[in-house]
Amino acid sequence: MKTFKHSVIFLLALISIFFNCKNEKKTESIKNNIAKNPSNVIDIITRSMEFQCTDTIPSGWNTFKYQNLSNETHFFLLDKYPEGKTIDNTITDVAPVFEEGMNLINQGKPEEGFAAFGKLPAWFGDIVFSGGSGLIAPKHTAITSVKLDPGYYIMECYVKMSNGKFHTSMGMAKPVIVLEEDSGNTPPEPTVNIEVSNTEGITYDKNITKGKQIFSVFYKDQKQHENFMQHDVNLVKLENGVSEDALEAWMDWSNPKGLITPVPKGVTFLGGVNDMPAGSTGYFYTDLKPGKYAFISEVPNTKGKGLFKTFEVKD
């Protein structure tokens, strides 16, 4: 009996050691996944009002490292154009319409301004907004992973300069060809899962802690909001005393003071995932320090729609 008892104890000890080792390896694997940024990235650099990056990329999963070395807040959004349309059509058919409409809004004529947007060509409705980074502050870097179909894309940023001019009109509209050849990459393993929907707004599945995180952003559905935008997710650091109302108003580009330099005082944008079709998932990386943060979309009335969610990261 004593020998049998010792054998059972020994067996249990072996099982315990096995599972502990397995769990330690699994934990270490997860730590390594979180701790290091992806090595296989497509670099994008902005120094002023331009995107410096390769002209062609593979299809499938791609991770973009966007370094904003300029003095203004930017983002990048990848617009998949319908067949036969190019950057020339952006310049001749799209940009002038947005300029005309925005000029009228800035003059205090919002009804005339929105009516002017009716001049957009019919093919504009066939553009597929395919993700990109959220807003990213000057001298910061955004890392974002999205899955892209082959085709002709325009990489753009339509934040506004202090004079109200869209960055797209200042050179931030770059053609990018996505090839048939697949990258062979796989999506990263997220630490926090975010879901965005028309009914629930922005939700996430666990408490958000300090350190390096990989957020997945799943768009359960999409819709066009009052300012013609679909919802997206932007991560923002909020300093003490910041006006949440000012931030909410600033996120609406159709507001004369919206999406314009400078950003509201006490606000630092840290990336995110730009708008994508319903059913799509994108990912973004960040390194969180203790403090107050928010997820917010680039649409009007974010709080009423559940698209402005604040949270605190503890030390």
Side-chain angles (χ1 to χ4, degrees):
M1 179 65 72
K2 187 175 182 181
T3 303
F4 175 75
K5 183 176 180 181
H6 286 171
S7 298
V8 170
I9 293 172
F10 179 71
L11 180 60
L12 290 174
L14 283 178
I15 292 172
S16 176
I17 291 170
F18 172 77
F19 279 106
N20 284 338
C21 289
K22 187 176 181 180
N23 287 336
E24 285 175 7
K25 288 180 180 178
K26 183 177 180 181
T27 302
E28 186 64 28
S29 174
I30 293 173
K31 285 182 179 178
N32 288 340
N33 182 49
I34 296 170
K36 62 181 181 181
N37 288 332
S39 57
N40 185 17
V41 300
I42 296 169
D43 289 300
I44 307 171
I45 297 175
T46 291
R47 300 182 188 278
S48 180
M49 290 288 166
E50 85 293 352
F51 291 118
Q52 300 175 19
C53 70
T54 183
D55 296 329
T56 59
I57 61 176
S59 56
W61 285 102
N62 286 289
T63 298
F64 298 87
K65 180 181 179 182
Y66 180 30
Q67 299 178 73
N68 180 10
L69 304 181
S70 76
N71 295 318
E72 299 203 25
T73 293
H74 293 294
F75 62 76
F76 79 89
L77 173 63
L78 289 162
D79 309 338
K80 186 176 185 295
Y81 267 34
E83 188 173 354
K85 302 301 178 183
T86 68
I87 187 69
D88 294 333
N89 299 101
T90 309
I91 295 168
T92 60
D93 304 344
V94 177
V97 176
F98 275 100
E99 289 289 343
E100 178 186 353
M102 197 69 240
N103 286 338
L104 288 166
I105 291 172
N106 289 336
Q107 293 167 21
K109 303 175 181 178
E111 291 184 6
E112 292 93 330
F114 276 92
F117 296 133
K119 299 178 183 178
L120 287 167
W123 62 263
F124 184 81
D126 296 327
I127 293 174
V128 179
F129 299 105
S130 304
S133 76
L135 290 153
I136 186 72
K139 317 306 179 187
H140 284 66
T141 297
I143 299 178
T144 313
S145 299
V146 296
K147 188 177 184 181
L148 299 172
D149 293 327
Y152 185 100
Y153 290 73
I154 297 295
M155 179 183 290
E156 67 164 328
C157 171
Y158 50 81
V159 175
K160 293 180 284 186
M161 298 177 64
S162 57
N163 63 4
K165 291 286 186 182
F166 291 111
H167 290 181
T168 43
S169 300
M170 306 304 297
M172 298 196 79
K174 173 185 170 57
V176 175
I177 306 299
V178 177
L179 305 172
E180 293 286 342
E181 178 187 357
D182 192 275
S183 67
N185 298 329
T186 56
E189 184 69 30
T191 59
V192 179
N193 298 290
I194 299 172
E195 184 174 289
V196 192
S197 74
N198 295 326
T199 54
E200 300 298 323
I202 296 171
T203 58
Y204 44 94
D205 65 349
K206 63 188 69 171
N207 289 332
I208 299 172
T209 58
K210 70 176 182 179
K212 294 186 176 181
Q213 305 287 352
I214 302 173
F215 293 96
S216 70
V217 178
F218 171 65
Y219 291 100
K220 183 177 180 180
D221 45 35
Q222 272 290 10
K223 73 174 184 178
Q224 192 178 80
H225 293 264
E226 302 93 315
N227 62 350
F228 304 118
M229 302 309 303
Q230 300 180 135
H231 38 255
D232 57 0
V233 173
N234 300 273
L235 174 65
V236 56
K237 179 80 162 57
L238 304 174
E239 302 299 334
N240 292 333
V242 68
S243 170
E244 293 183 9
D245 290 342
L247 172 59
E248 183 179 40
W250 189 88
M251 292 300 292
D252 178 9
W253 70 265
S254 65
N255 182 328
K257 298 298 182 182
L259 220 65
I260 194 169
T261 299
V263 302
K265 186 177 180 180
V267 163
T268 303
F269 286 102
L270 299 174
V273 176
N274 228 310
D275 54 312
M276 307 175 75
S280 300
T281 301
Y283 301 81
F284 71 99
Y285 296 65
T286 190
D287 190 354
L288 297 175
K289 305 297 188 289
K292 184 178 180 181
Y293 295 81
F295 295 124
I296 188 169
S297 284
E298 187 198 325
V299 300
N301 187 26
T302 50
K303 286 188 176 180
K305 297 172 180 175
L307 294 170
F308 185 167
K309 296 290 181 69
T310 60
F311 61 94
E312 187 174 353
V313 173
K314 303 288 188 180
D315 195 357

